[in-house]
Amino acid sequence: MTFGPISIKPKYKRKGYGKALLDYSLDKAKALGVGAICIEGNIDFYGKSGFVVASTKGIHYYAEPRDSEVLYCLLKELKDGFLEGITGTYHTPQGYFVDENEVEKFDSHFPAKEKRSFPDSSGNQIKRN
Ligand SMILES: CC(C)(COP(=O)(O)OP(=O)(O)OC[C@H]1O[C@@H](n2cnc3c(N)ncnc32)[C@H](O)[C@@H]1OP(=O)(O)O)[C@@H](O)C(=O)NCCC(=O)NCCS
């Protein structure tokens, strides 16, 4: 299973809300019987809740070379040993990709906004033109 992204309003960051939300979501997934969760994110945050770099468990990130260590592709087993003996490729689900033209069309229904860019959880600048 995958999920996210989760987001905390800047003025409430680093107060434990992100971790609380994440751990709550993991408990819900576990209750659903999910064996493992694979996501794209920052190990400094997700590592606190038990995520590890997916390649260390034999899971390859679809958009990078097979032998590369992709530090933002993370996973957590919710059932012990769920991925033992399993290798494979994680592919971001299609639902995560948006049509920028459709976004522009949707946004045009709202009052004009100033376009800004912010660093993502890995510190990379996200820019939308
Ligand atoms: C990532 C995010 C959800 C974290 O939420 P938060 O409420 O600030 O995080 P928490 O206070 O629960 O942090 C728990 C621990 O994670 C680590 N952590 C959190 N944010 C971090 C960051 N930006 N860099 C490094 N470590 C971080 C810290 O160890 C922190 O514990 P500490 O504050 O005692 O050192 C929040 O910064 C955010 O909304 N970012 C923008 C959206 C985003 O990138 N979402 C994740 C994409 S999948």
Side-chain angles (χ1 to χ4, degrees), residues 3-10 12-20 39-46 48 119-122 126:
F3 78 101
I6 59 174
S7 194
I8 300 297
K9 198 170 181 172
Y12 296 115
K13 281 184 183 179
R14 301 305 284 258
K15 297 179 190 296
Y17 294 124
K19 186 171 186 329
I39 51 138
E40 294 156 52
N42 184 342
I43 189 72
D44 291 336
F45 171 63
Y46 287 98
K48 291 278 157 74
D120 67 13
S121 59
S122 308
I126 297 175

Side-chain angles (χ1 to χ4, degrees), residues 25-64:
S25 306
L26 294 175
D27 283 347
K28 288 283 178 196
K30 198 170 181 170
L32 287 171
V34 173
I37 292 207
C38 198
I39 51 138
E40 294 156 52
N42 184 342
I43 189 72
D44 291 336
F45 171 63
Y46 287 98
K48 291 278 157 74
S49 293
F51 281 82
V52 297
V53 174
S55 59
T56 64
K57 294 275 185 183
I59 303 299
H60 157 246
Y61 185 67
Y62 78 102
E64 299 284 354

Side-chain angles (χ1 to χ4, degrees), residues 45-92:
F45 171 63
Y46 287 98
K48 291 278 157 74
S49 293
F51 281 82
V52 297
V53 174
S55 59
T56 64
K57 294 275 185 183
I59 303 299
H60 157 246
Y61 185 67
Y62 78 102
E64 299 284 354
R66 189 162 282 278
D67 56 357
S68 59
E69 190 187 32
V70 183
L71 297 176
Y72 58 84
C73 182
L74 311 174
L75 68 77
K76 178 181 166 80
E77 284 179 316
L78 297 180
K79 286 182 186 164
D80 282 346
F82 185 75
L83 292 172
E84 219 168 281
I86 292 177
T87 56
T89 298
Y90 168 76
H91 197 294
T92 311

